[in-house]
């Protein structure tokens, strides 16, 4: 059974992912953080917060296709 917290997390995650794909990393990060406030151990949200941080520091090229390229091992 899905809890109300999980349903809210899914809504925040979907909104955040849409923002992420629009290259709005600050807004996306904030939305992922809202989900993490509800479910702190949500792995996908944690991953995307890290990716948003990376793109805020070093944005991808204008022709970015949504693929995250790891630069270190």
């Amino acid at each position: 059974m899905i809890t109300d917290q999980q349903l809210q997390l899914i809504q925040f995650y979907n909104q955040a992912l849409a923002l992420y794909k629009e290259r709005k990393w600050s807004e996306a990060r904030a939305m992922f953080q809202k989900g993490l406030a509800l479910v702190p151990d949500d792995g996908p949200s944690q991953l995307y917060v890290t990716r948003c941080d990376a793109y805020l520091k070093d944005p991808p090229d204008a022709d970015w296709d949504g693929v995250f390229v790891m630069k270190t091992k």
Side-chain angles (χ1 to χ4, degrees):
M1 175 175 232
I2 294 180
T3 66
D4 288 340
Q5 279 186 322
Q6 290 169 323
L7 285 174
Q8 282 185 299
L9 171 66
I10 291 167
Q11 290 174 338
F12 287 140
Y13 181 86
N14 286 334
Q15 291 172 2
L17 194 56
L19 290 165
Y20 177 88
K21 290 177 181 179
E22 294 173 10
R23 302 172 62 112
K24 297 178 180 178
W25 294 291
S26 285
E27 296 94 331
R29 186 185 191 286
M31 194 62 64
F32 286 121
Q33 288 288 64
K34 283 185 176 186
L36 287 169
L38 295 171
V39 183
D41 63 343
D42 181 58
S45 293
Q46 291 171 343
L47 174 71
Y48 275 102
V49 165
T50 302
R51 289 181 179 181
C52 287
D53 289 342
Y55 283 147
L56 284 166
K57 290 178 185 172
D58 185 21
D61 294 333
D63 64 347
W64 178 69
D65 61 1
V67 174
F68 184 82
V69 178
M70 293 180 59
K71 296 182 180 182
T72 61
K73 207 172 186 182

